[in-house]
């Protein structure tokens, strides 16, 4: 009886979701990352990165040529996973540092729950073992968190090479493997392998061009200032933006900065800006002003703020990397931030299916039954409770398989939020699947976060308020596109 009611209020995959109240009427300046923010890539790119890094391992790091038998599997990993560098384990961790059992992989095989519990003395990962502020494994941290969309082929390659060594009983040092794969993935970018491939066949790798063009045009029509800060090189960005927007793309942006080296760009006060001429040559001129139509390299945010005066909450910056793009901006500089989460659209579409809604409704019902009926201590009741616990575990596994067979949803570990969602909630004022979602909102629209009940609050009145027009835009609502 509950399912039809729930299905009448399905979420809109093209909505913008709010962690913090924010009005677009206060935003005068819009900033953007480039990769996976202004430009989206097709599925072919991750295969390219995986193959190129795999070949570098063989040709430059002397790894066995037999690892070429492993191909990229786009359905293996999800973003936000943690990797235990010393144990060579890939896993999903929740907002409270607990490992989601059943999602720990050594190579391409799941590690039994009992083994995980024995290794970690339970399923909790202490703070000192977690990744550092930027998700890295450094200064004693044994965990690395993969937050970048480009990290999907890296996780898969790590797992494939681990699998090869394990299957062939080869003794190896996991720390060396992690570093070698990280260096190989880095070299695919630094040596220009990825950039050259995209530039040579831009139509194969770049998609969603018309939506980005429409967003930028809408903002320009409403008199908004715009800037671009990216780690990608000048010629690569120029060719991509010409394909997406047109030859006059620079006319839309008041400032363009390439090879910014984020997140260092937001913290290092020492590096001055350098102007890049039309041939891509770096000029030695001292920069007194960031001019429209020009391209600048390096620099730092403190100099950027000094030269532009763009400070505080009138600036909204969009990026896909929660740490490198957004964290410092919201914590240190007071900019508003928008996270681009491409996975969001597909996950909401799954959540809108009748099968998912039926599964989740019964899972929540089972949980409620267990909570209320556990007071009955007689043997018959206890036997039924054990059956319910077993069924609940099966339903949880079924729920995980809706999203990803190995790791489940990007946003949840069973009932708890993932560590990824915890960081997203902290560092992003709003989040959405792509910039095209902005087309559904007027330039003075105010985003209000939903008031969800705290554990000690009565849920009844809050649940009633969260129905109908008080909830995030639903599919049946008509949205004016202007």
């Amino acid at each position: 009886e509950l399912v039809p009611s729930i299905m009448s209020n399905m979420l809109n995959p093209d909505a913008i979701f709010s962690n913090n109240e924010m009005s677009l009427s206060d935003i005068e300046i819009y900033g953007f990352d480039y990769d996976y923010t202004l430009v989206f890539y097709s599925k072919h790119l991750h295969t390219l990165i995986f193959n190129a890094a795999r070949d570098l391992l063989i040709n430059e790091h002397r790894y066995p040529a037999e690892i070429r038998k492993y191909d990229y599997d786009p359905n293996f990993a999800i973003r936000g996973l943690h990797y235990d560098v010393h144990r060579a384990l890939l896993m999903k961790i929740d907002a409270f540092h607990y490992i989601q059992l059943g999602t720990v992989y050594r190579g391409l095989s799941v590690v039994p729950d009992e083994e995980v519990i024995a290794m970690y003395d339970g399923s909790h990962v202490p703070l000192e073992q977690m990744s550092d502020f930027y998700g890295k494994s450094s200064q004693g941290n044994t965990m690395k968190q993969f937050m970048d969309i480009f990290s999907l082929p890296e996780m898969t390659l790590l797992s494939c090479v681990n699998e090869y060594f394990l299957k062939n009983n080869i003794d190896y040092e996991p720390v060396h493997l992690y570093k070698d794969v990280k260096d190989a993935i880095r070299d695919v970018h630094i040596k220009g392998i990825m950039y050259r491939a995209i530039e040579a066949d831009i139509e194969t790798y770049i998609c969603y061009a018309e939506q980005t063009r429409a967003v930028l045009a809408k903002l320009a029509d409403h008199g908004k200032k715009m800037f671009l800060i990216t780690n990608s090189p000048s010629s690569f960005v120029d060719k991509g933006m010409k394909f997406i927007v047109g030859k006059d793309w620079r006319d839309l942006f008041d400032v363009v900065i390439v090879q910014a080296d984020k997140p260092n760009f937001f913290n290092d006060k020492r590096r001055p800006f350098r102007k890049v001429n039309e041939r891509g040559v770096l000029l030695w001129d001292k920069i007194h002003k960031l001019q429209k139509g020009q391209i600048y390299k390096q620099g730092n945010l403190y100099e950027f703020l000094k030269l532009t005066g763009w400070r505080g909450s009138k600036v909204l910056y969009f990026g896909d990397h929660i740490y490198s793009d957004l964290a410092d901006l919201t914590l240190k500089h007071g900019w508003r931030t928008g996270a681009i989460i491409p996975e969001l659209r597909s996950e909401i579409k799954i959540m809108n299916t009748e099968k998912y809604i039926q599964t989740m409704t019964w899972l929540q019902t089972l949980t409620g039954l267990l909570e209320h009926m556990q007071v009955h201590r007689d043997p018959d009741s206890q036997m039924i409770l054990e059956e319910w616990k077993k069924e609940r575990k099966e339903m949880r596994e079924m729920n995980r398989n809706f999203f990803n067979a190995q790791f489940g949803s990007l946003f949840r570990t069973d009932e708890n939020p993932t560590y990824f969602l915890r960081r997203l909630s902290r560092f992003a004022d709003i989040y959405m699947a792509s910039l095209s979602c902005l087309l559904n909102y007027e330039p003075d629209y105010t985003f209000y976060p939903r008031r969800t009940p705290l554990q000690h609050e009565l849920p009844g009145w809050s649940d009633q308020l969260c129905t109908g027009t008080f909830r995030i835009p639903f599919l049946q609502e008509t949205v004016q596109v202007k």
Side-chain angles (χ1 to χ4, degrees):
E1 293 176 355
L2 286 170
V3 171
S5 173
I6 297 171
M7 290 199 69
S8 67
N9 289 318
M10 293 190 293
L11 289 169
N12 184 353
D14 294 315
I16 294 177
F17 301 87
S18 175
N19 292 320
N20 192 19
E21 185 173 327
M22 186 186 76
S23 178
L24 293 180
S25 61
D26 297 329
I27 305 301
E28 300 174 12
I29 304 122
Y30 285 76
F32 306 94
D33 180 35
Y34 179 70
D35 296 300
Y36 287 108
T37 301
L38 287 174
V39 60
F40 276 73
Y41 297 106
S42 70
K43 60 183 180 181
H44 303 293
L45 181 58
H46 287 175
T47 300
L48 167 73
I49 295 171
F50 178 92
N51 291 342
R54 182 193 60 195
D55 291 344
L56 285 172
L57 284 179
I58 295 169
N59 298 330
E60 297 190 8
H61 295 271
R62 296 181 177 274
Y63 276 67
E66 288 82 2
I67 65 173
R68 279 204 178 93
K69 70 180 182 181
Y70 293 99
D71 296 318
Y72 178 64
D73 179 3
N75 299 313
F76 176 69
I78 62 171
R79 260 203 303 168
L81 299 178
H82 278 81
Y83 184 77
D84 189 323
V85 174
H86 293 281
R87 294 186 174 101
L89 298 176
L90 188 65
M91 68 190 72
K92 187 176 175 186
I93 295 179
D94 73 10
F96 303 97
H97 296 190
Y98 281 91
I99 301 166
Q100 182 178 9
L101 297 176
T103 69
V104 180
Y105 277 74
R106 181 185 289 115
L108 301 175
S109 302
V110 67
V111 180
D113 294 350
E114 308 78 45
E115 189 177 339
V116 174
I117 291 169
M119 280 190 288
Y120 292 94
D121 295 322
S123 59
H124 184 264
V125 180
L127 178 63
E128 62 268 16
Q129 294 180 26
M130 293 292 288
S131 54
D132 68 10
F133 181 78
Y134 294 106
K136 297 177 180 179
S137 169
S138 61
Q139 297 178 351
N141 307 99
T142 58
M143 293 283 187
K144 151 76 177 178
Q145 189 181 19
F146 290 101
M147 296 292 272
D148 193 352
I149 299 177
F150 283 127
S151 67
L152 291 171
E154 182 176 357
M155 285 184 276
T156 307
L157 183 58
L158 265 173
S159 300
C160 288
V161 181
N162 273 314
E163 179 76 3
Y164 174 80
F165 287 152
L166 291 167
K167 291 293 184 184
N168 291 277
N169 297 314
I170 298 173
D171 189 25
Y172 69 103
E173 172 54 63
V175 175
H176 296 332
L177 171 58
Y178 166 73
K179 183 179 183 304
D180 290 343
V181 171
K182 182 179 71 171
D183 290 347
I185 292 287
R186 179 202 63 196
D187 287 347
V188 172
H189 296 264
I190 290 179
K191 293 184 176 181
I193 298 171
M194 184 190 80
Y195 300 130
R196 288 193 297 270
I198 295 174
E199 290 185 44
D201 195 2
I202 205 162
E203 293 185 5
T204 296
Y205 290 106
I206 292 183
C207 47
Y208 305 147
E210 69 284 349
Q211 295 174 339
T212 299
R213 192 161 45 231
V215 170
L216 296 176
K218 179 180 178 179
L219 295 176
D221 289 343
H222 285 90
K224 304 298 183 181
K225 294 184 181 296
M226 290 182 281
F227 65 92
L228 171 62
I229 302 177
T230 175
N231 287 349
S232 293
S234 174
S235 61
F236 176 72
V237 173
D238 183 58
K239 191 159 187 176
M241 290 300 288
K242 284 177 179 175
F243 176 73
I244 296 171
V245 180
K247 293 182 178 179
D248 58 347
W249 70 271
R250 288 195 221 170
D251 295 340
L252 291 170
F253 291 88
D254 294 87
V255 178
V256 176
I257 300 166
V258 299
Q259 291 179 274
D261 191 28
K262 295 178 292 183
N264 292 331
F265 179 87
F266 301 127
N267 300 294
D268 189 347
K269 300 180 180 181
R270 297 168 296 179
R271 298 186 314 158
F273 286 106
R274 297 193 71 171
K275 188 184 293 185
V276 182
N277 70 12
E278 294 295 332
R279 299 189 303 276
V281 176
L282 290 173
L283 304 181
W284 47 262
D285 311 51
K286 184 175 178 61
I287 305 301
H288 297 281
K289 182 180 180 182
L290 298 176
Q291 298 175 314
K292 188 170 185 175
Q294 301 295 323
I295 294 181
Y296 299 90
K297 180 181 176 181
Q298 297 175 352
N300 64 83
L301 185 63
Y302 298 91
E303 189 70 12
F304 178 90
L305 297 175
K306 178 181 176 182
L307 296 174
T308 63
W310 294 345
R311 300 176 182 275
S313 57
K314 65 182 178 181
V315 184
L316 172 58
Y317 186 80
F318 292 95
D320 69 287
H321 199 302
I322 296 169
Y323 296 147
S324 296
D325 287 326
L326 308 180
D328 289 316
L329 291 177
T330 186
L331 292 177
K332 298 180 180 180
H333 303 288
W335 285 8
R336 308 311 295 265
T337 52
I340 304 300
I341 313 293
E343 301 93 334
L344 185 64
R345 185 175 281 115
S346 60
E347 290 218 7
I348 290 177
K349 288 180 179 179
I350 291 169
M351 292 163 58
N352 283 339
T353 62
E354 184 174 1
K355 189 172 182 181
Y356 175 83
I357 291 171
Q358 287 176 334
T359 303
M360 282 304 301
T361 304
W362 182 235
L363 180 57
Q364 292 300 96
T365 302
L366 271 176
T367 303
L369 285 168
L370 283 166
E371 181 179 9
H372 288 94
M373 303 302 288
Q374 62 184 317
V375 295
H376 298 279
R377 311 304 301 176
D378 60 280
D380 289 343
S381 296
Q382 287 296 307
M383 183 176 68
I384 293 173
L385 284 167
E386 289 303 315
E387 291 176 359
W388 284 347
K389 288 178 182 178
K390 181 181 177 182
E391 184 176 358
R392 182 171 180 253
K393 183 178 180 181
E394 293 171 353
M395 298 295 284
R396 280 177 159 184
E397 292 175 359
M398 186 183 301
N399 178 54
R400 184 179 71 205
N401 290 336
F402 279 118
F403 302 99
N404 176 280
Q406 291 73 234
F407 302 101
S409 167
L410 176 64
F411 304 100
R412 275 203 181 276
T413 58
D414 295 327
E415 274 67 50
N416 290 338
T418 57
Y419 193 85
F420 176 92
L421 183 63
R422 175 186 175 184
R423 308 301 269 176
L424 172 67
S425 302
R426 179 65 183 90
F427 299 138
D429 291 294
I430 56 176
Y431 63 100
M432 66 210 75
S434 70
L435 283 176
S436 63
C437 299
L438 282 171
L439 297 172
N440 297 328
Y441 299 85
E442 294 294 339
D444 59 352
Y445 188 91
T446 298
F447 296 100
Y448 297 98
R450 277 190 290 175
R451 183 185 176 91
T452 54
L454 302 175
Q455 294 300 313
H456 63 274
E457 291 180 329
L458 288 172
W461 62 268
S462 184
D463 285 347
Q464 291 176 359
L465 284 176
C466 286
T467 59
T469 57
F470 288 95
R471 295 191 68 177
I472 291 171
F474 296 104
L475 284 174
Q476 71 269 24
E477 296 180 4
T478 56
V479 181
Q480 297 294 322
V481 179
K482 295 186 179 180

